[in-house]
Amino acid sequence: MQTMTENLATLIQKRGPIRRIGVIGMGYVGIPAAALFADVAGVEHVYGFQRDSASSGYKIAMLNRGESPLKGEEPGLPELLGKVVGAGKFSCTSDFAKVAECDAVTLAIQTPFADKKDLLPDFTPLVEGLRNVGRHLTPGTLVVLESTITPGTTAGMAREILEAESGLVAGKDFCLAHAPERVMVGRLLRNIREHDRIVGGIDEVSTRRAVELYAPVLSTGEVIPMTATAAEVTKTAENTFRDLQIAAVNQLALYCEAMGINVYDVRAGVASLEGEGITRAILWPGAGVGGHCLTKDTYHLERGVQVLGGELDFPAGRESLYTLARGINDFMPEHMVHLTESALAQAGKCLAGSKIALLGWAFINDSDDARNTPAEPFRDAALAAGAEVAVHDPWVDPATSPDAPPGLSRDLEDVFAGADAVVVFAGHKEYRGLVPEQVKEVSGSPHPAVVDGRNVVDPDAWIAAGFAYRGIGRGDKNGHTPQ
Ligand code: SAJ
């Protein structure tokens, strides 16, 4: 009597090497992945599956012309797409029946939060993708989830849906694994080729088959095999740890402000401690943490331990260190409000009736990505307090960015005109060369304020030009006497 995995191993052996691959979800993860799979010598064909929906159906024709529908520069991608489409090794389709022809199918479907308040992921698009795959799944196929998901999803919800739709059994009739993506917009191909790839199957056979799928597309990256759940925890934990590191230095910045010292001196001092086995990965304090990774992956991890965890031994009544870190990072925009109120008060003003020039809507320096930007809660609080807020960002395009605020301006003079306070939220390079005397003149304010959330202005120069200065972590300057 064959065991389940022996049966699966036999099926895989009969199938032979992976030649036909399907990638579900033609987004910034699926498109480069599909192009790289298609460029592997032994692969005959890759199907890019894309729903022919009103919002994204246009991608099908574009991709079949070898054109990338992704906005922004992606070095090497247009050429690679042209090559694999020209060679007939890649095509895009909305016909999910072609899943039946595939030896391996990956799902690269986003899992946003339905509502930022309850922090529950919206798995709807992923569930639809899983149903589409399940309906056409054949024995001996490998299914891999690449989306960032709550630990336990691959061996839980995903497995259940695939089995229900196909009538097949995971681990017996088909392989199932998780291989989280680690790509950054602007360097998609490089990241896939060069980053190590975590690959985790629900069983040994699935893990091995998933390693067979990913190993050929890696250049300097190595495949790191583990279980599916360990792979899900790795992905969420790597972002949780980054968020934790940022919170640690944000809290240090708040302490330095209270103690009247410069956090950047302390940071340089701490970072100087290095040598064998000594690490002090001290990051940079700032006006908050945005983006689509760090703002949600902590909650995926927390939910994973709730859903999957057995008996958790943890200090009674203590909040998780990780959600505490989230809370500190989410406090930073509020701290920026307090710094702005303090700087305005130095000139006898308050938020009500003042004009704020908010510099930088993107969540990260020199980028047009404004997802979950920390500038938004700041703007909302300032508006609620009765301030007028003019937002400037030279990178976020109001015409194409879904996260652009109303009235987003690219005209600095216009935003500075009449401003009582200049508040920096993104460290765009355009803000590092501002001349305080010019800004003051354009503002027309005798005692303007400047609040620096990303350490881009020189406190002494702006104070000398007559600004009330406040900066994250700049306890040495925040209490300066007005000029
Ligand atoms: N931030 C700080 N201080 C820091 C670093 C970042 O306040 O020292 C803020 C940024 O301003 C931004 C937010 O945190 O608002 C996130 O910045 P990020 O550099 O982490 O950029 P992300 O969110 O795009 O993170 C991505 C993630 N990559 C993937 O998910 C594949 C993350 O895992 C990477 O570690 C990160 O890029 C990276 O290292 O570039």
Side-chain angles (χ1 to χ4, degrees), residues 182-184 235 239 242 246 283-284 290 293 363-364 454:
R182 285 173 152 177
V183 295
M184 289 282 293
K235 171 65 188 179
N239 285 336
R242 183 168 173 81
I246 297 167
L283 290 177
W284 300 92
C293 308
F363 84 85
I364 196 159
R454 297 290 174 194

Side-chain angles (χ1 to χ4, degrees), residues 137 151 192 289 335:
L137 192 57
I192 294 177
V289 171
H335 179 57

